[in-house]
Amino acid sequence: MTGAAGLFGIEGLAPGAARPVQSYTYGAHPAQVCDLYLPDAAPEGDAGDVAPHRVAVLVHGGYWRARYDRSLSGMLVDDLLAAGWAVWSLDYRAVGSEGPSSGGGWPRTYDDVAAAADLLADAAAGHPLDLDRVVLVGHSAGGALALWLAGRHRLPAGAPGGPPRWRPAAVVAQAAVADLVVAADERYGDGAVLALMGGAGPRDNPLAYATANPAALLPLGVPTLVVTGDADDAVPHTASLAYAAAAAAAGDDVTLRVDEGADHFVHLLPGTPTWRATRQWMQARTS
């Protein structure tokens, strides 16, 4: 399932103006990189000393395709910095990328996302980052990866990514491809999930889907915001409804927000009520 807004409206998004304080690499491929942004003002602690920043970890979407990268989240970086957040914007090898150690897809994309998230612990050793107040924020396919990161501690030993070096305080799933089995069967993104999984469907490789699918890792054990729009023509809002219901039934603390008339890209635009409500929820969960 796709639409013009779903795969091509993304070209209308302008990059943010902020520049990273530092970029970190975790491999030889150009996509194996993370950018750290810090706000201008450092928060003060109770004794007047400098307190560490809360951190938003941004996981971009683009249906896991190599033509999209972390620049999709550029405007959110600016908005979060203005609100006093540090930002960790991660990238990963995606389907169709070429270069060192081959391209993305299962399991390499997941190995990358896990390594990129874990690298935040190294960044915190040299910068004022509060690893107890980290919120994962993922859009579209990035929403699936953010939810997977939040549930990674539930994976069996030896699974791609390994155990996490830190646990998030909360996770935000923006128009997320939250159930890979449903998305594969219904051919979201013109078969994007099948491409991610090397052409295998859920019945061809059930173990891989059970490991990669965020819906299979419930409960996550952290507060979760599931936000979508009922005019989304790239990832149907019913995917968010179903995931929120399943997460709540599993015992997770879930907030569901469905914005009337909102499309797939409203989540990436800071001036929209959808994003403002998302940031307010993030702040409330890390205050």
Side-chain angles (χ1 to χ4, degrees):
M1 176 180 294
T2 60
L7 290 182
F8 302 109
I10 208 164
E11 296 170 0
L13 294 174
R19 294 294 178 264
V21 170
Q22 188 171 345
S23 293
Y24 296 76
T25 60
Y26 59 91
H29 195 282
Q32 292 175 311
V33 62
C34 307
D35 295 329
L36 173 65
Y37 300 83
L38 295 177
D40 291 334
E44 289 190 357
D46 294 337
D49 55 341
V50 175
H53 301 285
R54 59 183 128 193
V55 185
V57 174
L58 302 185
V59 189
H60 73 82
Y63 267 131
W64 307 283
R65 291 181 171 121
R67 63 180 178 269
Y68 304 115
D69 62 22
R70 64 195 183 282
S71 66
L72 294 177
S73 304
M75 286 187 284
L76 298 188
V77 172
D78 290 342
D79 181 79
L80 287 161
L81 290 174
W85 287 75
V87 177
W88 184 251
S89 182
L90 64 83
D91 222 326
Y92 50 87
R93 288 173 294 173
V95 176
S97 61
E98 298 179 356
S101 303
S102 74
W106 173 260
R108 291 177 296 277
T109 294
Y110 285 75
D111 285 329
D112 280 8
V113 170
D118 285 344
L119 194 57
L120 179 63
D122 292 338
H127 297 280
L129 307 175
D130 189 346
L131 293 184
D132 291 326
R133 296 195 300 161
V134 179
V135 180
L136 291 161
V137 184
H139 175 248
S140 191
L145 295 172
L147 291 170
W148 179 83
L149 285 171
R152 185 161 58 116
H153 63 292
R154 292 177 51 81
L155 290 170
R165 294 178 63 187
W166 52 267
R167 292 274 290 125
V171 59
V172 177
Q174 303 170 300
V177 186
D179 190 327
L180 297 190
V181 173
V182 173
D185 287 344
E186 298 187 6
R187 295 190 61 80
Y188 291 9
D190 291 335
V193 175
L194 294 178
L196 172 71
M197 303 303 288
R203 267 92 20 214
D204 301 319
N205 195 344
L207 178 58
Y209 275 82
T211 308
N213 190 3
L217 299 180
L218 293 169
L220 304 183
V222 297
T224 303
L225 172 63
V226 178
V227 57
T228 187
D230 66 4
D232 192 326
D233 66 350
V235 179
H237 74 285
T238 51
S240 293
L241 300 180
Y243 180 85
D252 274 341
D253 173 4
V254 183
T255 301
L256 173 65
R257 178 184 173 95
V258 182
D259 283 0
E260 184 177 356
D263 66 10
H264 192 60
F265 299 103
V266 68
H267 311 277
L268 303 179
L269 301 172
T272 63
T274 302
W275 171 250
R276 289 198 300 268
T278 297
R279 179 161 54 77
Q280 289 168 2
W281 183 92
M282 294 167 59
Q283 292 177 181
R285 295 307 182 279
T286 54
S287 59

